[in-house]
Amino acid sequence: MSDAPLFIDTHAHLAMSQFDEDREAAIARARAAGVARMIEIGYDLPSSRAAVALAERHPAIYAVVGLQPNHIHEAPPDYLEQVRALAAHPKVVAIGEIGLDYYWMRVPAASQEEVFRAQIALARDLGLPVVIHSRDAQADTLRILADAARGQTGVMHAFSGDWAYARACLDIGFMLSFTGTLTYAKATALHEVARRAPLAVLLTETDSPFLSPNPYRGQRNEPAYVRLVAERLAALREEPLARVAAQVWANAERLFTFDGPRR
Ligand code: NI
């Protein structure tokens, strides 16, 4: 048995075209770097189907299915039934990524909220956690989660707010997931969150192919680099990497129940 720490990338998009040339090699590099589990995240129906297909091919990969707010306008009227059908797969561990995006605002806020609430309700119905995408929409995200998702579990993916926002998310009962942005020297508000939040509610992710950690900033990200996020988290908290990695692993197991009873 090895004592090398195991890492988890709770949010990747390996099915995207940025990995068409080396998808299997990227997965192999992650495994070699100690990334023993990866979660492939859908953002529309095709990518949700692709996430399930990838999870079927790889024991270390699990899937999350749902409609991200920037893709709502492309979805068919029966999208909710299609997400529900995909979620019946035993390797689907959450509904996501779902939420609000007021940066791109591809559809009106009211439509985003309607689809967000519908998918929260679906997750509740299925007994699954939710993976939240929120960009330039903190107040409305909190309002909807506090109202519709209280008592449900979930994670704020690619968390990028300050301590006040983090505290509000934790009060609702959600976890916070850090990406490579945690490694950026100027991300001081995020560093404060990483120091002050209880370790028991923190996760690590890459959001590959986006948000590469230093020293790969500006290049394509890949799941192997989640180790750099965990290392930065451990350094900020002045705790051993092994302890941080083990707790993050346990947190992910608690939230996603990878091998738990299935619907
Ligand atoms: Ni994503």
Side-chain angles (χ1 to χ4, degrees), residues 170 175 197-203 237 243 247-248 250-252 254:
L170 298 179
M175 292 193 188
L199 186 56
V201 296
L202 301 182
L203 295 175
R237 297 181 66 92
R243 172 174 145 69
Q247 184 63 52
V248 166
N251 297 343
R254 199 166 77 248

Side-chain angles (χ1 to χ4, degrees), residues 11 13 41 97 157 207:
H11 195 115
H13 301 287
I41 310 282
E97 54 187 282
H157 134 69
D207 202 19

